[in-house]
């Protein structure tokens, strides 16, 4: 195995190994409390917004390392509009959901227009959006908290209530059989997809990974899926918010890896001038990235107010940092053109494990921020150094 190939393998699986090591460390330090079924379920619920926002942020980063600083404020703003419509205006829940989606998407389109067609730097546009929509959130809520506890259907639909779990249709005694069956089906589907992809690549003459490597990877991932669903089955089963997360992950995972539009994001981040010369509308790619980010911010807003059962002017603070951090930790390049949805999810899980582990250990909030900052810096340093062939200092 040559040096370049070895480096590629290390880059591909480094964060997975780090996630395993970090999880094992906190499980040891918390005497196994981290892996309790209730904490596994809480990890999903508390970090659902990160999974959703980080998936959208990946598309922005792919276009050249660009980011969206406004997502936390947009989460708060769309959530505030929804809460006020449902509670103060008596608007139907589904109408309020539609309004939230439209508002978030329009915000994304508004920012995308200035970025894509006027070519104002994304940092400036989204920084302005971060300030503006935070202020508008205060205006909509009049600086007050709006409770949505009475909207039980909305709260349960987006994973915030006591009944926000998929019911067990088989009536398991202390163990959610439906959850276990879902895990088994998911594992089987994953195995079938892996085999199909390998066969297809072999028929087309593409390079495929070694059979041993594929088997080891498949066995490990299947084991994780089964163990994960078993832990959830020991608590209350599958949280409804996990359904939303899985839909987002599967849809955007498919778009980025199996569609022409998805490949455009990588092309623009790799070399925008060459992409434009090849006939691709790069302005449209930028516009779609930020339009999509607004849409997913609206979804994250629904998840946030459902979990909190209220809307407050302070919600969504630092959400953009969690999303950006998850992308870079999960392997997205700071220069654009590199990154995957599964990698982003690994990064988000790692951030969630660090947060939960340190909270269970009673680590001070300020020190938690220090640790997350160091982890983020280390991930970006690894990305930059690996692109230089392992050299820390640039010759330029």
């Amino acid at each position: 195995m040559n040096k370049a190939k070895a480096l590629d393998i290390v880059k591909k699986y480094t964060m997975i190994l780090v996630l395993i090591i970090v999880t094992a460390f906190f499980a040891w330090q918390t005497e196994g409390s981290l892996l309790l079924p209730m904490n596994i379920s809480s990890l999903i619920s508390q970090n659902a917004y990160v999974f959703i926002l980080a998936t959208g942020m990946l598309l922005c980063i792919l276009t050249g390392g660009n980011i969206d600083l406004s997502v936390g404020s947009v989460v708060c703003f769309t959530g505030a509009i929804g809460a006020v419509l449902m509670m103060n205006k008596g608007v139907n829940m589904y109408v309020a959901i539609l309004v939230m989606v439209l508002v978030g998407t329009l915000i994304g389109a508004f920012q995308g227009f200035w970025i894509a067609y006027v070519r104002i730097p994304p940092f400036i546009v989204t920084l302005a959006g971060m300030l503006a929509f935070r202020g508008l959130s205060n205006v909509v809520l009049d600086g007050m908290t709006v409770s949505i506890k009475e909207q039980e259907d909305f709260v349960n639909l987006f994973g915030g209530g006591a009944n926000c779990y998929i019911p067990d249709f088989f009536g398991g005694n202390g163990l959610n059989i439906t959850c276990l069956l879902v895990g088994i089906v998911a594992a089987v589907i994953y195995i079938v997809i892996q085999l199909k992809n390998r066969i297809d690549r072999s028929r087309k003459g593409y390079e495929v990974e070694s059979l041993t490597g594929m088997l080891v990877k498949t066995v490990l991932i299947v084991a994780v899926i089964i163990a994960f669903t078993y832990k959830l089955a020991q608590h209350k089963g599958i949280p409804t918010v996990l359904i939303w997360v899985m839909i987002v992950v599967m849809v955007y995972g498919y778009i980025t890896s199996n569609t022409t539009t998805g490949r455009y994001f990588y092309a623009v981040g790799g070399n925008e001038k060459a992409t434009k010369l090849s006939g691709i509308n790069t302005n449209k790619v930028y516009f779609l990235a930020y339009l999509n980010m607004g849409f997913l911010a609206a979804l994250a807003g629904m998840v946030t107010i459902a979990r909190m059962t209220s809307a407050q002017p302070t919600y969504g603070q630092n959400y953009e940092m969690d999303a950006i951090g998850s992308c870079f930790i999960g392997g997205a390049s700071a220069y654009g053109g590199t990154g995957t949805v599964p990698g982003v999810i690994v990064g988000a899980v790692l951030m969630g494990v660090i947060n939960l582990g340190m909270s269970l250990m009673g680590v001070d909030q300020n020190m938690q921020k220090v640790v997350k900052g160091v982890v983020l810096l280390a991930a970006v340093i690894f990305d930059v150094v690996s692109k230089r062939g392992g050299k820390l200092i640039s010759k330029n």
Side-chain angles (χ1 to χ4, degrees), residues 194-207:
Q194 290 299 303
L195 292 174
K196 182 179 181 300
N197 288 343
R198 184 180 180 85
I199 293 171
D200 288 344
R201 290 182 67 85
S202 297
R203 284 177 179 172
K204 294 175 182 178
Y206 297 156
E207 183 181 357

Side-chain angles (χ1 to χ4, degrees), residues 169-186:
F169 301 104
F170 299 94
N173 186 17
L175 194 66
N176 193 301
I177 305 301
T178 301
C179 181
L180 283 177
L181 291 176
V182 168
I184 293 170
V185 170

